[in-house]
Amino acid sequence: DTAVSQTPKYLVTQMGNDKSIKCEQNLGHDTMYWYKQDSKKFLKIMFSYNNKELIINETVPNRFSPKSPDKAHLNLHINSLELGDSAVYFCASSQTSGGTYNEQFFGPGTRLTVL
Amino acid sequence: GQNIDQPTEMTATEGAIVQINCTYQTSGFNGLFWYQQHAGEAPTFLSYNVLDGLEEKGRFSSFLSRSKGYSYLLLKELQMKDSASYLCAVRDNQSYQKVTFGIGTKLQVIP
């Protein structure tokens, strides 16, 4: 199926650990994103990559480091996890040019719980 | 930056019509999206407006007034499966990729 996929779907870990979330899209899009949705359901952009280049880097602690090995993949590594990092992390992709709406397609989300 | 306001919760009856409003203040505007998000799932695209007026797509319509910084999503013939959060989102004209989301309106459809 053509889609945006993320792994893992659930992640439960202890404070202070380091963890990674992986994202892949097979829609042929040139732009990928990471969003954080907190307990109040507010969806906030963290990072965006266009053709492997970082173009959006919101005010995010530098414990969060995105990596885009190619256009179809965007991973998120989080160091020294804190309780406040508990949230659902969504990956998304879009096509910047040539489309009708250039809307974003979201992955299923990764629910991160830090204990 | 962008500031987006929408009601946090609404309730409507199955078969009825509901209008979800969204107002925004923006330093640069290049289109407004509506997304639907069912509980525990990812947001999915519903509609996009960049020019003033009404866009209709089946039971869903979206309206935009750029001069008023105002949009609404109209849902007709409500079904129980329409119970979800509806997110208003504004695209920045400085950075085409940057889309700022509102807090979302949680719609409950009751029998």
Side-chain angles (χ1 to χ4, degrees):
Chain A
D1 286 350
T2 54
V4 181
S5 58
Q6 292 178 232
T7 53
K9 192 163 171 61
Y10 298 97
L11 191 49
V12 181
T13 188
Q14 299 285 337
M15 250 186 349
N17 283 351
D18 303 338
K19 289 292 176 187
S20 292
I21 308 171
K22 295 186 174 182
C23 178
E24 176 180 1
Q25 56 95 3
N26 60 6
L27 297 164
H29 290 164
D30 59 7
T31 305
M32 296 184 73
Y33 311 78
W34 278 113
Y35 285 87
K36 179 180 180 181
Q37 189 167 45
D38 59 26
S39 55
K40 294 182 180 172
K41 306 302 179 190
F42 186 47
L43 193 63
K44 192 166 173 9
I45 190 164
M46 300 171 68
F47 303 103
S48 177
Y49 275 74
N50 177 259
N51 287 319
K52 300 195 299 174
E53 182 186 342
L54 182 65
I55 53 168
I56 296 173
N57 186 354
E58 292 296 281
T59 309
V60 175
N62 57 15
R63 298 181 296 104
F64 290 78
S65 51
K67 275 203 174 62
S68 181
D70 56 56
K71 261 184 13 174
H73 295 86
L74 179 61
N75 304 322
L76 183 66
H77 187 76
I78 316 170
N79 287 327
S80 304
L81 277 155
E82 300 177 357
L83 294 176
D85 298 332
S86 295
V88 180
Y89 292 83
F90 285 102
C91 178
S93 72
S94 69
Q95 183 61 27
T96 303
S97 59
T100 305
Y101 307 119
N102 303 120
E103 73 273 27
Q104 295 181 19
F105 292 77
F106 285 81
T110 296
R111 183 173 293 277
L112 172 65
T113 303
V114 182
L115 304 174
Chain B
Q2 318 276 17
N3 187 32
I4 301 171
D5 288 310
Q6 48 182 134
T8 52
E9 291 183 350
M10 296 182 73
T11 302
T13 306
E14 193 176 13
I17 299 173
V18 71
Q19 178 174 311
I20 303 173
N21 295 325
C22 170
T23 57
Y24 61 90
Q25 296 88 41
T26 177
S27 54
F29 177 84
N30 195 357
L32 186 144
F33 296 89
W34 284 96
Y35 283 81
Q36 180 190 58
Q37 185 177 23
H38 284 102
E41 296 183 11
T44 54
F45 170 73
L46 284 179
S47 68
Y48 176 69
N49 295 69
V50 67
L51 300 176
D52 291 352
L54 189 68
E55 294 282 342
E56 296 188 78
K57 246 191 192 182
R59 294 190 299 115
F60 290 32
S61 304
S62 57
F63 171 83
L64 176 67
S65 168
R66 288 172 298 170
S67 61
K68 293 181 179 172
Y70 168 69
S71 173
Y72 66 72
L73 180 69
L74 194 70
L75 292 76
K76 302 175 191 171
E77 301 167 19
L78 277 172
Q79 301 175 10
M80 299 300 290
K81 68 178 182 180
D82 297 330
S83 293
S85 286
Y86 292 86
L87 310 176
C88 173
V90 172
R91 170 181 277 154
D92 195 296
N93 70 347
Q94 296 295 320
S95 169
Y96 193 74
Q97 291 87 352
K98 188 169 178 182
V99 174
T100 302
F101 284 80
I103 192 74
T105 298
K106 187 175 180 182
L107 173 68
Q108 184 183 13
V109 180
I110 57 176

